[in-house]
Amino acid sequence: MMKKLILILAAGFFLQSCIRENTSTEDLMEMAPGNSKLISSGEFMKGPYGNNIGGKAEIYEKDGVYTLAFDKDFSVSDGPDLYVYVSTEQQPNNFISLGKLKSVNGGQVYTFATKPDLDAYKYAVVHCQQYNHMFSYALLQKK
């Protein structure tokens, strides 16, 4: 009985460690560059560690530069060490990191260093890098 209690407490502590606040909660209003071409988009879905999920992920291209944009309605649970990935699968094993999540709210834009293979990288993912927890994902479908 004591062993079960210790395991339950340890699991609770582990889960709580990835949901404490440390990502900005500022309501960002970034937008994709004007006159960009929408390539693909998808609605954010709840992952195993995320709550309060909303909004869209969209990939745009302008003059050979590709960006991933989260719309103004984007929201995700707060957590430490949250990153934005474009991945070949929901649970990111093969991914392109676009950097730290700027905020858990509002429009934000991330620029790719090179042209992504959008036939392979079909998911936009918000992921807790430190604990390998997926908070949210969007299946990106071509327009």
Side-chain angles (χ1 to χ4, degrees), residues 77-120:
S77 302
D78 200 359
D81 207 30
L82 295 180
Y83 276 76
V84 175
Y85 298 157
V86 177
S87 176
T88 58
E89 59 279 317
Q90 285 177 13
Q91 182 62 42
N93 293 312
N94 300 301
F95 60 87
I96 299 168
S97 177
L98 297 175
K100 279 195 162 280
L101 182 69
K102 297 174 184 178
S103 178
V104 295
N105 296 305
Q108 43 205 289
V109 177
Y110 301 88
T111 303
F112 289 89
T114 61
K115 179 182 177 184
D117 178 357
L118 298 177
D119 290 327

Side-chain angles (χ1 to χ4, degrees), residues 65-82:
V65 176
Y66 288 79
T67 56
L68 174 67
F70 296 171
D71 72 355
K72 65 179 178 55
D73 297 325
F74 170 75
S75 66
V76 69
S77 302
D78 200 359
D81 207 30
L82 295 180

